[in-house]
Amino acid sequence: THTHTQTDTYTDTMVVVGRAQQLYTISLLLLIYILNQADRQLVPTLISGGLKCNNTATNTLTDDVNGNSAHNSSSLDCISFSSLEEGVLKGPAFTVVFGVFGVSLSYFADNYNRIIVLAIALAVWSSATCLVYFVREFYQLALLRVFLGVGEAVCNPVAYSLIADIFSKERRALVLSVYHLGVYMGGGVGYVAAAANSTLGWRLTFMVFGAPGLLLSLLCVFTLTDPGRGASEKKDDDIVVQKKNYNIINVFRHMKGSPPFYILIIASCLRQIAGLSLGAYTPTLFKQTFHLSPHEYSFTMSMIGVIVFVCGSIGQLISGYLGDKLMSRSAGAKALVIFLSQLVAAPFIVGVLLSPNRDTALGVLCIAYITAETWLGPAAAIVQDVTEPHMRAQASAVYMTINTVIGGCGPLAIGAMIGDHFSFKGLNDVQSALLVFVPVFYVLSGVVFALVGLSLRHRHNNINRSKGEGVVDVAVNSDDAETQTDMNTPLLNESNSASSYS
């Protein structure tokens, strides 16, 4: 008979997920992530497509006979707000909320049924998107933007955790790379919003983009099953995965002993700084450098959208496949794949910035995206590999929040350099700022990803050494040492699990 001393420790119910259900689950999660990315882009895309009153002669406010503000065109349908308020909508109203609630709400993903948590989050952000149809004032739009951030913040922590428990460690990098195709597919769908706006108007466009999420939330509830934390590491019936209600403090306390996690955060921050900076200023770069007309600019942006979608997806799939394939040879393979790809990508980024004409720049950008967009899936897989099943969602939220917030400083730095009119001879200020900033951070991130790989190998060797000496780590930390009094019950931990937790 096995006894346990704490009432908050219990066993998750394990569900065997077959191959067909695995395929269905990752397909549905990918579709949800595409909507996640597309819905967050609607406000930035449609602000310049008619959502915001542009205060020109054909789009101004006048006073009617009752003294109320009215547009001088009855067909005009827009909302008036300042450039500062526009910045709030594009930035803090989403990003700050996304970060704060991503960490706090991930607790529920680690301690309750993840399918229900995901369905509720999806319904919240989809409802917020649909309700934009009814807004009349800026504060209403800002409030719905906040609710969008709250709902979307839960998506990745839940999805990462589910994928880690459905797919084995040896397949996680590829599967998470497939999931991260949503970044590029969602980006492509976001461009469609401008076309939909020209036909439907911005109000109906929000409704069209938001409604599918409500249907998908019902599909989640009725067709997906939570497999239980640690299900992919359960190799036989003798292994029992015990659960404790971890909060974010427990997560940080546990991760003290996991150097790869913190080194990975540093590497990801550096990579986000480079990637977000390049993404934010690519349109300005092409327009200023190649003096594009409005028609040429529209065509160029469409081509860049195709490049992001196709080449970014190719890079993700290649890196995920190689990361998993090489795992049998090196415990740090996933990180080393990222390291090599970022070093290869940096010269092509320079090539884009120094290209003599638009067509050459677009061609080089294709290669740059294939080689640079290799990190999201393998990095997310590493987070799952080095954390315990019952804290994966919260650890993922910490990882994403830190690299998103710090990465967002990149565009601010580029803007400051441009504002100071920093430039090299023969180059414009945007080219110059990106040239001294982006390739450097690609290389720096690559070097730190290499350190992640070395740290993972060192950790793997320590685990093997512990196994050889018969050392069994049955507790996550000193706080958990009392959770099991009968040492005859094997726990899922680094010493008896293929997942090699830290």
Side-chain angles (χ1 to χ4, degrees):
T1 302
H2 303 303
T3 60
H4 303 280
T5 61
Q6 290 190 358
T7 59
D8 62 346
T9 300
Y10 56 92
T11 302
D12 260 353
T13 301
M14 297 297 173
V15 176
V16 177
V17 180
R19 183 63 58 88
Q21 184 67 16
Q22 286 181 334
L23 180 61
Y24 175 77
T25 301
I26 188 60
S27 299
L28 187 55
L29 290 176
L30 173 59
L31 189 56
I32 291 171
Y33 197 33
I34 291 172
L35 282 180
N36 177 291
Q37 294 293 310
D39 287 352
R40 74 177 60 180
Q41 292 182 18
L42 287 180
V43 165
T45 300
L46 296 179
I47 276 178
S48 58
L51 187 157
K52 180 185 178 182
C53 300
N54 60 22
N55 298 319
T56 65
T58 60
N59 189 10
T60 58
L61 294 175
T62 59
D63 289 335
D64 61 20
V65 292
N66 297 317
N68 298 318
S69 294
H71 297 292
N72 52 8
S73 171
S74 60
S75 63
L76 193 60
D77 181 18
C78 60
I79 300 172
S80 292
F81 47 89
S82 67
S83 296
L84 176 61
E85 289 171 327
E86 177 181 340
V88 171
L89 286 176
K90 291 181 175 180
F94 179 82
T95 56
V96 173
V97 171
F98 183 90
V100 171
F101 282 90
V103 173
S104 57
L105 294 181
S106 61
Y107 171 85
F108 295 99
D110 272 336
N111 294 284
Y112 296 92
N113 187 295
R114 289 170 288 188
I115 304 303
I116 300 300
V117 172
L118 178 60
I120 292 173
L122 177 54
V124 167
W125 94 62
S126 298
S127 297
T129 302
C130 289
L131 289 173
V132 176
Y133 178 89
F134 300 101
V135 301
R136 290 290 183 266
E137 303 291 341
F138 168 78
Y139 79 88
Q140 297 169 334
L141 184 61
L143 184 62
L144 290 175
R145 186 74 170 161
V146 167
F147 276 101
L148 178 81
V150 172
E152 292 203 351
V154 182
C155 181
N156 274 358
V158 174
Y160 285 3
S161 178
L162 279 172
I163 289 170
D165 287 330
I166 293 172
F167 297 91
S168 66
K169 180 181 179 183
E170 293 74 23
R171 300 171 62 195
R172 281 178 195 156
L174 179 58
V175 175
L176 281 165
S177 293
V178 171
Y179 173 73
H180 277 102
L181 296 182
V183 173
Y184 310 103
M185 293 180 178
V189 171
Y191 282 99
V192 176
N197 176 55
S198 64
T199 303
L200 303 174
W202 61 268
R203 293 186 185 277
L204 273 178
T205 299
F206 275 98
M207 187 67 75
V208 168
F209 272 70
L214 298 175
L215 298 176
L216 288 180
S217 66
L218 294 176
L219 274 180
C220 284
V221 173
F222 293 109
T223 65
L224 294 183
T225 302
D226 191 326
R229 279 84 176 173
S232 64
E233 283 90 5
K234 180 176 167 57
K235 300 302 181 182
D236 55 64
D237 294 336
D238 293 328
I239 296 176
V240 176
V241 180
Q242 293 184 336
K243 182 175 191 289
K244 183 175 179 178
N245 288 331
Y246 292 110
N247 56 37
I248 197 65
I249 296 175
N250 298 135
V251 173
F252 277 111
R253 185 178 295 141
H254 170 71
M255 299 312 292
K256 282 193 306 183
S258 181
F261 181 75
Y262 291 105
I263 302 173
L264 178 67
I265 287 179
I266 295 171
S268 298
C269 287
L270 295 172
R271 180 57 181 80
Q272 280 281 53
I273 288 173
L276 294 180
S277 299
L278 184 63
Y281 283 93
T282 293
T284 307
L285 170 72
F286 274 79
K287 188 167 187 177
Q288 288 191 11
T289 304
F290 305 118
H291 310 290
L292 303 176
S293 69
H295 174 73
E296 291 172 330
Y297 176 77
S298 177
F299 173 78
T300 302
M301 291 304 100
S302 298
M303 291 302 299
I304 291 176
V306 172
I307 290 171
V308 169
F309 170 44
V310 175
C311 299
S313 298
I314 292 173
Q316 276 297 302
L317 293 176
I318 290 175
S319 65
Y321 172 79
L322 290 177
D324 285 340
K325 192 74 173 176
L326 299 175
M327 272 292 291
S328 59
R329 299 185 182 182
S330 172
K334 295 170 185 174
L336 295 178
V337 167
I338 304 175
F339 156 64
L340 292 173
S341 65
Q342 301 312 296
L343 294 188
V344 172
F348 290 106
I349 298 298
V350 174
V352 172
L353 299 176
L354 299 181
S355 291
N357 57 67
R358 182 196 65 180
D359 292 343
T360 301
L362 290 173
V364 178
L365 188 64
C366 289
I367 305 173
Y369 257 89
I370 291 174
T371 53
E373 297 304 311
T374 56
W375 71 285
L376 288 172
I382 293 171
V383 175
Q384 310 312 304
D385 292 346
V386 301
T387 52
E388 291 213 349
H390 298 100
M391 60 176 65
R392 280 177 176 156
Q394 293 176 88
S396 297
V398 169
Y399 160 76
M400 287 184 292
T401 296
I402 294 175
N403 72 49
T404 298
V405 172
I406 295 180
C409 297
L412 292 177
I414 295 293
M417 295 175 72
I418 294 172
D420 290 337
H421 303 290
F422 171 84
S423 64
F424 293 116
K425 184 177 180 180
L427 302 177
N428 61 45
D429 51 1
V430 178
Q431 280 179 297
S432 300
L434 291 175
L435 188 62
V436 300
F437 202 80
V438 176
V440 171
F441 275 87
Y442 269 87
V443 173
L444 287 176
S445 71
V447 171
V448 182
F449 274 118
L451 296 179
V452 174
L454 294 175
S455 181
L456 287 169
R457 288 180 59 183
H458 177 71
R459 174 175 171 274
H460 179 74
N461 291 337
N462 285 342
I463 292 170
N464 286 340
R465 191 177 302 113
S466 297
K467 287 181 180 180
E469 296 171 357
V471 177
V472 177
D473 178 16
V474 297
V476 176
N477 53 46
S478 58
D479 292 337
D480 299 326
E482 59 183 347
T483 61
Q484 184 185 358
T485 57
D486 188 343
M487 306 303 281
N488 294 321
T489 302
L491 286 172
L492 183 60
N493 52 57
E494 288 185 323
S495 300
N496 56 19
S497 168
S499 69
S500 301
Y501 303 134
S502 51

